């Protein structure tokens, strides 16, 4: 999770929402990503998607069996779909996302029994650090906006 937090800093340096993610297999990081939807003009450029793509290129396979995804924020529906389709074995996330999180904050897509793959999910890992980074980012963003008006 510390590596994901470091990647979140890279997103923040680009004025993106500070979310970072890593894919790990057998204790080795094989995929890295951070948010870039603003700079890339790409609504799918979330940290999880970037990390999954990086890992898939590394393994030369769109399936990622036996892999774990560590991300600083509870995934949205789009990212949850990608996590499930890629067959990630375990998801570990930091902060809850009360507006778009789909591991119980809004809905729980990971609990839908009818889906053909199930990912084990652990939430709240380093949640204080992950939440603080996001809160600070949005506070600074509001402050800048207020100074302009």
């Amino acid at each position: 999770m510390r590596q994901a937090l470091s990647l979140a800093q890279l997103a923040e340096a680009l004025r993106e929402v500070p979310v970072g993610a890593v894919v790990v297999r057998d204790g080795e990081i094989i995929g890295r990503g951070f948010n870039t939807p603003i700079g890339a003009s790409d609504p799918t450029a979330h940290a999880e998607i970037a990390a999954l793509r990086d890992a898939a290129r590394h393994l030369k396979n769109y399936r990622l069996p036996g892999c774990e995804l560590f991300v600083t924020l509870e995934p949205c529906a789009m990212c949850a779909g990608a996590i499930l389709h890629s067959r990630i074995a375990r998801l570990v996330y930091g902060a809850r996302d009360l507006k778009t999180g789909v591991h119980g904050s809004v809905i729980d897509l990971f609990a839908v029994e009818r889906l053909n793959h199930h990912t084990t999910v652990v939430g709240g890992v380093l949640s204080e650090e992950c939440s603080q980074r996001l809160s600070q980012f949005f506070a600074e963003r509001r402050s800048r906006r207020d100074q302009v008006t």
Side-chain angles (χ1 to χ4, degrees):
M1 187 61 78
R2 295 247 180 249
Q3 291 296 314
L5 276 163
S6 293
L7 291 165
Q9 283 183 297
L10 295 176
E12 187 172 14
L14 297 172
R15 293 198 170 167
E16 300 276 359
V17 176
V19 179
V22 295
V23 176
V24 176
R25 185 171 185 196
D26 298 326
E28 175 190 354
I29 294 175
I30 62 165
R32 292 173 172 81
F34 55 88
N35 271 8
T36 60
I38 299 166
S41 299
D42 180 356
T44 69
H46 288 195
E48 300 95 319
I49 301 296
L52 292 171
R53 286 176 176 161
D54 192 31
R57 281 189 297 268
H58 178 84
L59 294 179
K60 296 179 176 45
N61 190 350
Y62 74 106
R63 300 279 196 223
L64 304 172
C67 292
E68 300 172 291
L69 174 66
F70 293 80
V71 61
T72 58
L73 183 64
E74 180 182 2
C76 69
M78 174 186 68
C79 292
I83 290 163
L84 293 168
H85 282 289
S86 65
R87 305 297 194 262
I88 288 288
R90 186 168 84 121
L91 163 68
V92 179
Y93 70 86
R96 305 227 1 130
D97 185 344
L98 300 178
K99 294 182 179 181
T100 65
V102 297
H103 180 243
S105 289
V106 176
I107 59 173
D108 191 351
L109 288 180
F110 296 99
V112 176
E113 291 182 23
R114 294 180 58 196
L115 293 173
N116 67 337
H117 175 76
H118 294 95
T119 297
T120 301
V121 182
V122 177
V125 174
L126 298 180
S127 63
E128 282 296 316
E129 290 179 53
C130 295
S131 296
Q132 184 179 12
R133 179 167 301 287
L134 287 158
S135 295
Q136 183 178 351
F137 171 81
F138 286 112
E140 289 173 7
R141 191 182 207 178
R142 284 189 299 276
S143 175
R144 280 194 302 269
R145 184 185 64 221
D146 292 344
Q147 291 173 2
V148 172
T149 59

